[in-house]
Amino acid sequence: MPGMPTDGGGAIVPFRGEPGQGAPSPPPLRPIRHGVAPPIFRVYINWSSGNLLQVACLRPPNSEGCGGVEVAGSVVEVNLGSGGNGGAEVEEEIDEAEMRRIEYGSVPAFALLQSRKNALADAAAMSRMSSVPDYAEWWQYVLEYSKTIGNLLGNPDSPPAFMIEDPKTILKVREKPTSLRAAWELLEIFYVDKQLQSWLPERLVDWLADFDSLLSATESTVYSKLSNFQKKLINLQIVEDDPDYWNGLSAALSVGWLDIVVNMLRFHGSYQLDQMDNRETENGLVEAVAVLVSTMPRLRPNLPTGKLGQCCKTRPDFVKAWEKWRGQVTKLECSAFWIQCGHQKTRDGLKNLLHIMMGNIKELTASTSHWLELFASHFLYIRPFTVGFEGMHHLAQKCIQLKPSSSTTGLTGLVIGVLSENPEVVLAECTKHFGPWLVTHAMELLTADNDYADTMLHEERPNLGGISIEELHRLVYAQVLCSHSLTWQIAPTYLSSCLNQGLGLLEILLLKQPIQDNRLVLKTLEICRLYELDNISTNIMKVAGIYHWKHGRKGVGVYWFQQAHDKVRLDRIAQQLFEHIGKSVADDSFKQWEGLLELLGSDIGSAGGLEFLHRYRDFKRSLHQALDGRSGEAARQTVDFLIQLMRNPSTPQRFWLPLLHDSMELLNCKPSPLMNVAETNLLLNKLQELSLAKLRPDFSNNHLPSHALGSVRLALASNLARAILEDP
Amino acid sequence: MAERQVAELGPGAACCGWNHCGRRLAAGAVDGSVSVYDSNPSPSSKWQAHEQAIVNVVWLPPEYGDAVACVCADGTLSLWEEVAEDDQLPTWRKCKVFEGGNCCILNVHFGLHLGSLKMVTPYSDGQVKIYELLDSLELDKWQLQAEFQNVTDPVSRFGKPSCTSASIAWNPRRGGSQQASFAIGFDSDSSHFNSCKIWEFEEAHQRWLPLVELGSPEDKGDRVFAVAWAPNIGRSYEIIAVATCKGIAIWHIGSNTDSEGRPSTENVALLSGHDGEVWQLEWDMGGMTLASTGGDGMVKLWQANLDGVWHEQAVLDCSGSHV
């Protein structure tokens, strides 16, 4: 059945070391370390919940001669979902417990969004409008969802709890960014946040500032340049003599990290008090560049507090400020002071910075490392007036040509997919690199305001057995959740959002839960109740019932059979009890089964056989009381029970005589009749029926004395006589 | 991908089977003993079930307690259930033994239908017997419900073939109005018996009828090594995997029916990959991934992609060369 996007996507059972595109490449081979020495005689397999596969490897059973103590066979459990998540990149960064925190944390947001989606769809259906939901409202919901999930993935803006900042720190220590968060933010920027769509270039610059360190593990980036220089800085006497200082400065400036540039410029030797006098002009030039850098106009709604730059909210403001600022940059570049600057490296370095600010493509290309950095620098210095999405893909292609990268990470692949406006590629990249969690949750972002993605994801496909790609990915993620005993409980939320096959899988999941643990059974039943899976809960109760019944806990077993309304089995149990009781109605045997009946409680309306036993228990008790206390009320009560029992069709015939015989003493000891004429006649009729039945060969004798029938008849007759006399 | 050892099997282990939730494992040994493992490396119970080697262990559906059926090399079949009294340690009790008569019982499989338990047992002479459990609480009263040969033509009589093994797969869909059905294929010297056929219980006449035969005319005589019926969580068609010497065939059993009321069948893939005989086929709980084992000591995972094309997704090497 379902599978993966053919265009280079991942796999349903995500597998590390998975081949790239192209079918002919052999599938990944994973050696299983089971500890059994070859040769292997047989391999047995069994799927348990989710992606867990149990593999039993057996040696030839008759080869005991070699060694004797060797393992004859071994069973290993293999989690094909790679420890619960699947995306190879994600797995390296986030451990299992952290991933579980994210998985649990995203459930409420996902559920809320689904319920809002359903509510909007219902409202649209009610008002008979076309099924176009209120978009303005909808993307707000999706944005809220996106922010909630984004926060779960960590907040790179949050400063560490306690830190003494060293003035010589270039890159501030922050929470380590993860590619999962980077991918999420990227999707949010491009697919959800409508309000900020026109600030797209600046948002991309911000995104790069947060996640530049993740672009490449092996190749140079602006981040790696700066962090290398940071390490070197402690041992540097004269920073401005080191080419890495100027390289770092131009790199940071080209991607718009203004704070870092200004901070680094202040490391310049001309700021030192003992040198101020000799290097006054030089210092003035450094400071002038620093001022220009810190006043660079930025077309964006706001600047975080403490960030440098000049924030312009409207385009006209920005154009005005930009022209003025560019004028100042040009003016400084042409200034005569440069001749007076004696330090060659400072002069060249500062001029380089000015050229970057003037948008010199050569300098920008030289100072950036990764194509995404070059891409961002274009928006900052070459095309500052770009609004929205225009020309981004073309520009990206150009940058990739200029700075080809040998290794592509999931993030760059994702960026290319986003820029090429190809949701299939975006989805395939997410599947391949970030695992089923991200795919499942990110689909909501992709479809927030993208009709094409909406159709692509929601179209029901015959090749997938009639489900949509969205449903397929949710099912795949649910299977991942099912693979762990700590996460299967959240799978139902996702399965219930799958219209076609979700409940089918949920049913199988619930039926696969072991019933030995009572708490687990209650949890499973609660899920059944929540999703109205009555058949499944009945089945689970029956399984639990037979388990306890067979394991000596008869009472618990009967309890579950009752809950399941398992009439067949309860009748069968009642039958067993009858057989036991039927052998002897002596009081000591009554004690034995009374305990079991006690457990059954009074709510046994559904079970015919047990209902009789329950009434019989009440009758017996009442009879004891009546005979002991001789109170009229107890006697009347006992007679009521007797009449009820004799009237009830579920009372087996073979109990009629013992019942009547038991009550005989009571009937005889009272001076006044306990039953009226009608009641006595009923009993006499039953007795008559019994004497006829006695003639049949299958009549079972109750070990009562042979004259029992006659004695009862006599007692009833005398009662009838008294009743007639007293009858008004 | 994480892996962990869950049990270490004792000497002589020859076959094993898992219960419905995969938490319990029963292993049969060549000396006729059976061991049950519960999430501990060593067995929780062990008993002598037969005098000769156990060739297959199958768990009964959980609705009938913790019980296993053991197929013995001497051709008999025994049913065992776990019972306990008043907080004592559970023990395994023999409930019933089925004799093979003049031939051997090859395999056993259980199915639930309308609240009753049915058992299919293929015999070495090509007969298939279906028993029904009469008592919902005890496993000792069985009634023979039907007996037939795995051939589509009910009229002509075929000689008695010699069968070495048989593979059975019940339709995993439970409850509802659906008829009871199962697929069965033989490994025998008679081509008529071999091909995998789906048998369905016809309620009106209370008899089992062959519904469809899975095989093209030229493949029908191929010996069948394994059969697996995929769980159906909402597809309009069923999927069955059948392993023969030619590979693993994936069949779609359609919801459309032909003029005679038989559902359409389509062989959508023939997967070859195992070097040697295929031993076992197992579908995952969603019916999306098929796992197979074979004589090459490999476990292979198969999936269909978005275009419905089946391919080998991954291989687990269990040949023991990586100990």
Side-chain angles (χ1 to χ4, degrees), chain B residues 148-154 169 171 178-184 195-203 207-215 220 229 237-238 240 251-265:
Chain B
F148 50 81
Q149 293 180 311
N150 189 33
V151 288
T152 42
D153 180 0
N171 181 349
Q178 195 143 1
Q179 304 285 21
S181 54
F182 64 89
I184 185 165
S195 72
C196 184
K197 297 165 195 83
I198 299 176
W199 292 83
E200 191 177 70
F201 189 65
E202 198 193 33
E203 209 71 52
R207 59 179 181 174
W208 288 86
L209 289 176
L211 193 64
V212 287
E213 184 171 10
L214 303 178
K220 279 185 179 172
W229 195 315
Y237 51 89
E238 298 291 334
I240 296 179
W251 290 86
H252 282 190
I253 320 299
S255 45
N256 308 333
T257 49
D258 66 8
S259 54
E260 291 169 53
R262 282 193 297 257
S264 60
T265 59

Side-chain angles (χ1 to χ4, degrees), chain A residues 1, chain B residues 239-251 267-276 278 281 283 289-292 300-304 308-313:
Chain A
M1 227 204 59
Chain B
I239 300 182
I240 296 179
V242 182
T244 64
C245 53
K246 291 187 177 124
I248 302 165
I250 306 284
W251 290 86
N267 183 2
V268 294
L270 183 65
L271 310 166
S272 55
H274 281 291
D275 191 9
V278 173
L281 296 172
W283 290 96
T289 309
L290 175 70
S292 63
K300 302 206 167 199
L301 303 173
W302 311 86
Q303 283 180 351
V309 179
W310 283 85
H311 63 280
E312 195 174 337
Q313 182 68 36

